[in-house]
Amino acid sequence: MGGQAKGKKKNKPSKKNKHPSRDAGFVGLSPQDRVKLRMHETAKKKTAEKYTVQQLLEKTEESMDCFDFEMAGLFCQRALDVDPTNLQALDMLGHIYSELGDTEKAKGVFLRAVELSPDVGHTKYMYLGQIHTGLEAVEYYTRGVQVLLSALDKEAQTTVQAGAAALPVEDPHLPTAKDVSVAYCSIAEIYLTDLCMEEGAADKCREFIERALQYHHDNPEALQLMASYLFSVDRNQEGKEYLLKSVGLWLPAQKQIAASSSTEEDVQNEVPPYEWRITTAKLLIESEEYEMAVDVLEGLLEEDDEVVQVWYLSGWVCYLQLEKAKEQQEREGRQVTEQEKEECNALKEAARSYLTNAKKLYSKLRCDDQPMLDHVEQLIGELGGEVEGEDGDPGLEEDYEPCSDDDEDDDDDAAMEH
């Protein structure tokens, strides 16, 4: 019996061997880290039981639509806990990290997506292009264009096979020719800025802009880039024509939004991003299209009155209008009418008001663009000093974030030399 008992004990599996992989991930961890890891595993299991990956991604999208990127990140990470290779979740999480300003995490997520699916899905390459600079950025954008063109070819073949009788179904997730145009614009802009000193940069810049216009001839971004390129090679009249065509495609929509507080998505989608329109205002000022520049700047102030550069540009354009009026009066050598005097006084006071607000906001936001501040003070001095008790002083919330040179588009400063 003793031998039998001994044999039973020998053959009986121990608790350690019963679940050989249970504690494999706990080796070397502190007790606190083990507790955290077990809690994470438990949460992951409960999530998988309660929600599908698609439901979690829907919740992620809802949070992103509400600009709650912290919550969106939690939902998205739970989706990846359930399905670590889900490409849609990886794209969304990379986007979320980008919005949260965590470039390194965003980069890691997008590179993981590239590793899993190098030939499908162009958005990861677009984001990687944004994160990188110079030739690295060009390489990512170029790879994204290749994926886009391949997807468009497959889409066209599918349409042909379906037959002419089949009604086309619009899918917002499918790539479009406009996406290709935007990608080519991104490459062109790099050759206009970061790589402008590279040999043949100007020719490459124009080549990619022309490709962008080939895929979407009414792309405002491509038209404005062509204007910038033409200004850079001293073909100013041609540049102005492209610039005015670009602005004409979206400025009416901006005015409509300002006049009616329109929240229609189609109308809002016609209006380019805020920073892009600041660049537009600079180019319009450079082209001496002052009235159109005023329209653009008024729309920007309507949307956000806590951007120092917009107040500064508003004051600068009023100052330039005033100087132009004086020059015309001197050139004509005639008596100035009372109406002209009133118009000049109105421009002077408007310029002082805008510039005073720019200086006050600059101080409150603790900006560090010294050349802009110097120019503001110079203009205020020429106009007779700051406006006392300025009623238009932009109100600031207590939880504001200080701005810096990084918040402004340094590449466009050449257009505003002073």
Side-chain angles (χ1 to χ4, degrees), residues 44-223:
K44 183 165 68 172
K45 184 178 179 182
K46 287 183 178 179
T47 297
E49 292 171 353
K50 190 173 182 180
Y51 298 106
T52 65
V53 170
Q54 189 55 41
Q55 287 173 327
L56 287 165
L57 293 182
E58 287 171 3
K59 289 183 174 292
T60 301
E61 195 165 1
E62 289 172 7
S63 297
M64 291 172 72
D65 289 342
C66 297
F67 303 100
D68 188 352
F69 293 104
E70 294 281 357
M71 183 59 70
L74 293 175
F75 282 125
C76 198
Q77 187 58 62
R78 285 294 173 87
L80 284 168
D81 286 342
V82 179
D83 182 2
T85 61
N86 188 291
L87 294 173
Q88 184 184 357
L90 285 169
D91 271 350
M92 294 174 83
L93 187 60
H95 182 185
I96 291 165
Y97 282 140
S98 295
E99 291 291 340
L100 292 172
D102 197 331
T103 303
E104 284 305 310
K105 283 188 177 180
K107 180 179 175 181
V109 171
F110 289 129
L111 288 175
R112 173 65 174 153
V114 169
E115 180 185 339
L116 290 170
S117 178
D119 299 321
V120 178
H122 68 282
T123 56
K124 54 182 173 284
Y125 292 108
M126 300 298 108
Y127 280 114
L128 285 167
Q130 292 173 19
I131 291 170
H132 292 79
T133 58
L135 290 174
E136 276 189 299
V138 170
E139 289 174 6
Y140 281 118
Y141 282 127
T142 302
R143 186 72 185 102
V145 169
Q146 291 170 351
V147 172
L148 268 170
L149 294 177
S150 176
L152 288 175
D153 285 343
K154 288 179 182 177
E155 191 179 332
Q157 290 172 11
T158 302
T159 303
V160 170
Q161 291 171 1
L167 292 173
V169 179
E170 290 189 7
D171 185 345
H173 298 293
L174 289 175
T176 64
K178 185 178 179 180
D179 293 325
V180 180
S181 178
V182 170
Y184 277 133
C185 283
S186 298
I187 299 174
E189 193 165 10
I190 293 171
Y191 281 107
L192 193 63
T193 54
D194 293 357
L195 299 178
C196 64
M197 301 305 292
E198 292 283 316
E199 185 177 353
D203 292 337
K204 288 181 179 179
C205 177
R206 172 150 196 151
E207 175 191 344
F208 286 114
I209 295 171
E210 288 174 345
R211 289 187 192 181
L213 289 170
Q214 176 187 341
Y215 279 90
H216 187 200
H217 67 279
D218 277 342
N219 180 353
E221 182 182 357
L223 291 167

Side-chain angles (χ1 to χ4, degrees), residues 6 29 62 82-83 102 142 168 204 227 255 278 305 335 345 351 359 361 382 395 397:
K6 189 175 182 181
L29 295 180
E62 289 172 7
V82 179
D83 182 2
D102 197 331
T142 302
K204 288 181 179 179
K255 290 182 177 179
I278 292 178
D305 62 359
Q335 188 72 26
N345 284 333
K359 185 175 179 180
L361 192 59
E382 291 182 24
E397 298 179 4

Side-chain angles (χ1 to χ4, degrees), residues 192 232 282-283 286 409-418:
L192 193 63
S232 72
K282 292 179 179 181
L283 291 172
E286 184 181 355
D409 189 352
D410 295 332
D411 297 321
D412 296 317
D413 288 346
M416 292 301 299
E417 291 179 359
H418 29 265

Side-chain angles (χ1 to χ4, degrees), residues 322 325-345:
L322 176 61
K326 289 179 180 178
E327 288 174 7
Q328 183 176 347
Q329 291 164 8
E330 291 178 4
R331 189 167 57 249
E332 294 175 356
R334 58 175 175 76
Q335 188 72 26
V336 179
T337 66
E338 286 300 317
Q339 182 178 350
E340 288 172 334
K341 286 181 181 178
E342 289 179 6
E343 289 174 353
C344 285
N345 284 333

Side-chain angles (χ1 to χ4, degrees), residues 220-221 223-225 227-228 231 242-251 254 271-290 292-297 300 309 313 317 409 412 415-416:
E221 182 182 357
L223 291 167
Q224 182 164 304
L225 275 174
S228 296
F231 288 144
Y242 275 96
L243 177 62
L244 295 180
K245 184 177 179 181
S246 172
V247 178
L249 290 169
W250 57 265
L251 186 57
Q254 177 183 277
V271 181
Y274 197 95
E275 287 294 330
W276 192 85
R277 282 177 282 152
I278 292 178
T279 302
T280 303
K282 292 179 179 181
L283 291 172
L284 287 168
I285 293 172
E286 184 181 355
S287 306
E288 298 187 10
E289 291 291 334
Y290 299 140
M292 190 173 286
V294 168
D295 288 339
V296 173
L297 291 165
L300 292 169
Q309 195 178 30
L313 290 173
V317 73
D409 189 352
D412 296 317
M416 292 301 299

